[in-house]
Every structure is written in C-alpha cells, then in structure tokens.
C-alpha cells in the first residue's frame, strides 16, 4: 500500500540522518568505506526482522550515532546476536553474554558488569578444583610409590584413578597484555598550538584553535565523522602544516602516533623481525626487556613470533602495531581510534597503561567507556572547525552540554518577536507549529504500541476474548497511525515549500 511505502521511506530517511548520511541521492560507489558500513547497518536495521545479527556495529560510528544505536537496540523487540567490544552496549543492551575462550563457549545470563562478577567466580571455582586435584594427586602418588612388594596387590581401580587424575588438564589462565609504561624523558615544553586554522577544499575543519598540551594531560577528542579530529592529531604530529597559526614542539618531545590506518606492514616479514628492527630492547622501571620478552608480554608467544605477519588476525596485527608504537618509548601519545579491533582484555590493560604513562595522551575515540576511564578533558570538534573544551570525562561532558543547551532552548522559546524569523514561523499557525514539533514522536509511539500489541496477541493462545480486544485496540492504533502519517506528510510538504520560498 502507498501509506506503507511512504512510512518505510520516512523511517529509512530518518535512520540515514541519524547515521550521518543526509544525501539520499548519493551513489553508494562514491561513499567512503566508513559510510558504506553505515549504509549496510541502516539496511540491516530497516528491514523487519525477528533476529538481528550484528558484527561490531559501532565501528565507524561517532559517539552520538553510537548512543542512538544503543537506544534503538534497547527498544528492538526481536532477538539480537551481536559481536562487540563496546562495553556500554554489553552493559546496557544485552542480557546474555557468551564468551569464546580457547575453543570453548561459556554462557552467562548477564550484562557486562554481572558477567565480570560471574567470570571471576568461575575462575575461583576452577582454581579451587585444581588445588583439590593436586592434593589428591600427591596422596595417590605417595600410595603408588610405596614399596615394590606391595605393588602387585594394589587396587587396579585406584591405579586407574591416579592415571585419570594425572591426565586431567589443569585450567589454563588466559594471557594478559602486560603493558609497561615506556617513555623517554620529557622536558618542560611539550606541544603548543597558537591560533591554528586548517581547511580542505574551502571547508574549515580547525578554526583559530590555541592550546598547550601539559605533561600529564589526558585529552579525549570527539566530534562527528569528518569533523577534523584526525586533522588535529596530524597538526600536532607535524604531518600537516597549518594554513595559519603556529605549532611549536619542544626539543625533548618524542611522539608516538597510533593512527587508524596503522603502519605499512610487510605481510611476509616475521613478527619478531618487525619489532626487533624498531628496538632490540627497552628500558622500563622494572628493568631492561628484550624485544622477544616484550612481545610475550603482548601475548605473542615464541611460536607466534616466528610466524609471518600475514598469518596474524586483524586484532593481532592491531595489537602488534600498538606494541611497535610503544617500543619507540614516546613521551607523548597521539591515539586515533585506538580501541578499534582490540579485544576487551587488551582494552582494559591499555586503559591501565595510560593511567601510569608518564607523559601526555591525546586520544580520538568514539568508545564512551574508554573516554570515561581515561579522559580528564574533552575537546569537541564542532561545526566550522570550532573546538570547545570541557573539563572531565565523557559522562561529565554530556551533563555539561545538556546544561548549556537547556538555557539556550528556553531563551529561544522566550525570544522577543522584534525581528521576525521567517524560518522559525514557517507560516504555521500556533497549533500547527506545536503539532509539527511533536508529530514524529507521536508516530514513533504509535508504531511502538502496534508492535507491543502484536507481542501480546501472540501470547494470547486460546483466549479469544482477549485476542479480540487486543485486535480492536490494534486496529484503532493503526487508524490513528494512518491519520498521523497523512498529517505528517501535509505538514512536511508545507514546511519544505515555505523553506524554498525563503531561499
């Protein structure tokens, strides 16, 4: 039906807007890799489904898009199977977690915080069982080794029990990425930006920005995709020259740059040779470590060090690249999306490492959990290249932004009508304007009500009286939705005509 097609088109456009794809006519072949991923995500979400299967859905989404997707998935009524390292998703969206470890699956009916608790309990139980097994083995071994004369009369069952216990595999503890804070001496002067501006093809992405990076700064950089976050890092690293302004770097500064693209890796080169070429050994507070020892601390055991890089998984290559950056002993770290393709164990240890790193850290990231744990300041790269600074982590930033927006919204509503703002009036009546402001929320509420009634009807079984009541209620909701959709199309069409006249 026409109404259904129009409703689907409205939902699709709304979803593409939320995912940062406002140009509906653009050809898919002209999109960047990240934009194509977002189109694929929208295509998966828009089709009616009983089960959604998503593989790292937050990759290539900025923080605002990720928050929208989190809310969308929380309201999704079907089943959801998702591979993700986004710990806020695991905390707020899921109610079951399945962990794949050493070829075995461990299932927990829990979100992320409860999963951590249950996993710790499982590890404690495994350790207790192993201690008990070792105790029994010692007693059995003592019995088996009693003099040769008694050996012929020993119970066959007891010998078999001893062999069975001996043959059991002890629980293996999963390796942890042990990052030692490696750094060179950092003098008083670090990196200073003075009224820096940078533009590409007439579009300003950094505008008149000044800052001094202090020795112990922990800065998170956020903003829409393509806003200029990576450009800011490239200016600090000296990879880009500003169009105006100055970038001053201290003589003792040694930058470690962890980029999204990573290094050009020779896939035929051995893992060990790649790291050994950077540094044969590193000095830490714990002493000197060879390249091989540092690789073992990064979960690259001896047998893996001899493998060609091409045989590593994507996550292992990302971890190898991280090690290569840290092996150079930088004293300022510039990290561009460091959490992409790292497993949660590596992420947790990276966060611990950054807590003790004796230098400045500036990280571009859309990982809200990572920013909450590591950032002490937030730089938001906004429209027109304007960078706004906030003190605190990501959650603090959200609270302050909401507090700043609230007075502005009230002022806009109470603004005197001395100068008529034609776009704001839209030549609607007061009632039409109020309706236009809320109609999309009304449509979403009706759609949700219809979906909820579907669920209730499916659970009715043979209760035909209740089924009939629910059917009548759903028919009324559908009629109301049709009416709202017609009204939305009328108001939207009117708004577009008025906007066109004002141009």
């Amino acid at each position: 039906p026409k109404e259904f097609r129009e409703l689907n088109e409205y939902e699709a456009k709304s979803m593409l807007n939320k995912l940062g794809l406002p140009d509906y006519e653009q050809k898919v072949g002209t999109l960047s890799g990240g934009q194509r991923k977002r189109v694929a995500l929208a295509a998966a979400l828009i089709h009616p489904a009983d089960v959604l299967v998503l593989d790292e859905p937050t990759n290539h989404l900025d923080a605002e898009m990720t928050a929208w997707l989190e809310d969308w998935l929380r309201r999704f009524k079907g089943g959801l199977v998702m591979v993700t390292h986004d710990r806020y998703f695991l905390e707020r969206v899921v109610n079951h977690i399945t962990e794949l470890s050493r070829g075995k699956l461990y299932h927990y009916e829990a979100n992320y915080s409860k999963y951590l608790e249950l996993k710790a309990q499982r590890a404690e139980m495994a350790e207790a069982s192993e201690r008990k097994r070792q105790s029994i083995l010692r007693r059995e071994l003592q019995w088996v080794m009693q003099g040769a004369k008694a050996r012929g009369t020993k119970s066959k069952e007891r010998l078999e029990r001893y062999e069975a216990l001996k043959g059991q595999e002890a629980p293996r503890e999963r390796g942890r990425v042990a990052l030692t804070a490696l750094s060179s001496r950092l003098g008083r002067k670090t990196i200073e930006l003075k009224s820096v501006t940078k533009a590409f093809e007439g579009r300003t992405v950094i505008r008149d920005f000044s800052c001094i990076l202090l020795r112990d700064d922990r800065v998170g950089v956020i903003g829409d995709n393509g806003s200029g976050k990576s450009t800011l890092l490239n200016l600090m690293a000296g990879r880009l020259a500003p169009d105006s302004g100055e970038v001053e770097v201290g003589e003792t500064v040694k930058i470690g740059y962890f980029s999204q693209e990573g290094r050009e890796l020779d896939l035929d080169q051995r893992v060990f040779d790649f790291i050994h070429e950077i540094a044969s050994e590193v000095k830490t507070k714990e002493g000197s470590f060879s390249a091989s020892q540092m690789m073992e601390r990064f979960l690259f055991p001896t047998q893996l060090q001899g493998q060609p890089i091409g045989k590593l998984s994507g996550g292992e290559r990302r971890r190898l690249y991280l090690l290569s950056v840290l092996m150079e002993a930088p004293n300022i770290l510039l990290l561009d999306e460091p959490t992409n393709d790292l497993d949660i164990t590596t992420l947790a240890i990276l966060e611990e490492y950054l807590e003790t790193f004796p230098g400045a850290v500036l990280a571009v990231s859309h990982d809200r959990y990572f920013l909450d744990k590591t950032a002490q300041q937030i730089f938001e790269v906004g429209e027109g290249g304007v960078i706004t600074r906030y003190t605190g982590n990501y959650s603090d930033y959200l609270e302050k932004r909401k507090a700043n927006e609230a007075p502005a919204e009230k002022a806009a509503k109470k603004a005197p009508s001395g100068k008529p703002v034609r776009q704001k009036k839209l030549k609607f009546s007061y009632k039409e304007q109020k309706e236009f402001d809320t109609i999309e929320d009304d449509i979403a509420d009706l759609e949700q009500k219809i979906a909820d009634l579907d669920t209730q009807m499916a659970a009715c079984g043979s209760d035909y009286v209740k089924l009939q009541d629910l059917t009548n209620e759903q028919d009324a909701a559908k009629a109301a939705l049709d009416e709202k959709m017609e009204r939305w199309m009328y108001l939207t069409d009117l708004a577009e005509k008025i906007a066109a006249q004002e141009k």
Side-chain angles (χ1 to χ4, degrees), residues 223-243:
D224 295 340
N225 287 327
S227 60
K229 304 184 296 296
S230 297
T231 299
L232 178 62
L233 262 64
N234 284 324
L235 287 167
M236 287 188 169
R239 298 186 176 190
L240 283 177
D243 296 337

Side-chain angles (χ1 to χ4, degrees), residues 218-379:
R218 298 291 184 273
V219 182
V221 184
I222 63 172
D224 295 340
N225 287 327
S227 60
K229 304 184 296 296
S230 297
T231 299
L232 178 62
L233 262 64
N234 284 324
L235 287 167
M236 287 188 169
R239 298 186 176 190
L240 283 177
D243 296 337
S244 63
E246 292 180 67
V247 179
E248 294 185 357
V249 180
E251 291 181 5
T252 60
V253 167
K254 189 172 183 181
I255 294 173
Y257 194 119
F258 185 77
S259 69
Q260 289 190 57
E261 298 78 20
R263 295 180 192 242
E264 279 290 329
L265 300 177
D266 180 355
L267 300 185
D268 295 324
Q269 187 178 27
R270 289 195 313 155
V271 173
F272 174 81
D273 293 338
F274 171 65
I275 294 297
H276 191 266
E277 283 178 5
I278 296 168
S280 59
E281 70 170 19
V282 291
K283 293 181 180 179
T284 74
K285 292 178 181 178
E286 302 170 17
S288 294
F289 292 89
S290 68
S292 181
Q293 287 172 319
M294 285 303 298
M295 293 179 71
E296 287 181 5
R297 294 164 79 91
F298 269 66
L299 303 186
F300 292 105
T302 305
Q303 63 270 26
L304 198 57
Q305 293 177 24
Q307 297 286 331
I309 293 173
K311 288 195 174 181
L312 299 181
S313 68
E316 287 171 333
R317 291 183 200 179
R318 191 79 170 157
R319 183 161 16 103
L320 183 67
Y321 172 44
L322 177 61
L323 173 59
S324 73
V325 171
L326 300 179
M327 286 291 287
E328 294 174 336
N331 47 36
I332 289 183
L333 278 174
L334 303 180
L335 309 175
D336 196 353
E337 297 292 2
T339 66
N340 280 0
D341 299 317
L342 294 182
D343 60 65
I344 289 177
T345 302
T346 308
L347 286 176
I349 305 303
L350 174 59
E351 288 156 0
E352 290 177 17
Y353 167 80
L354 293 179
E355 286 180 12
T356 60
F357 179 72
V361 179
L362 192 134
V364 171
S365 181
H366 68 269
D367 188 320
R368 300 158 296 167
Y369 194 103
F370 175 80
L371 291 173
D372 272 345
K373 284 199 72 175
T374 60
Q376 296 167 356
Q377 290 184 72
I378 297 292
F379 288 180

Side-chain angles (χ1 to χ4, degrees), residues 16 19-21 26-44 59-61 225:
L16 289 171
L19 293 174
L21 298 161
Q26 191 174 357
K27 300 292 185 184
V28 173
T30 66
L31 299 177
S32 68
Q35 288 173 321
R36 291 185 193 183
K37 293 282 187 184
R38 297 203 296 278
V39 169
L41 177 61
N59 281 1
H60 308 290
L61 301 187
N225 287 327

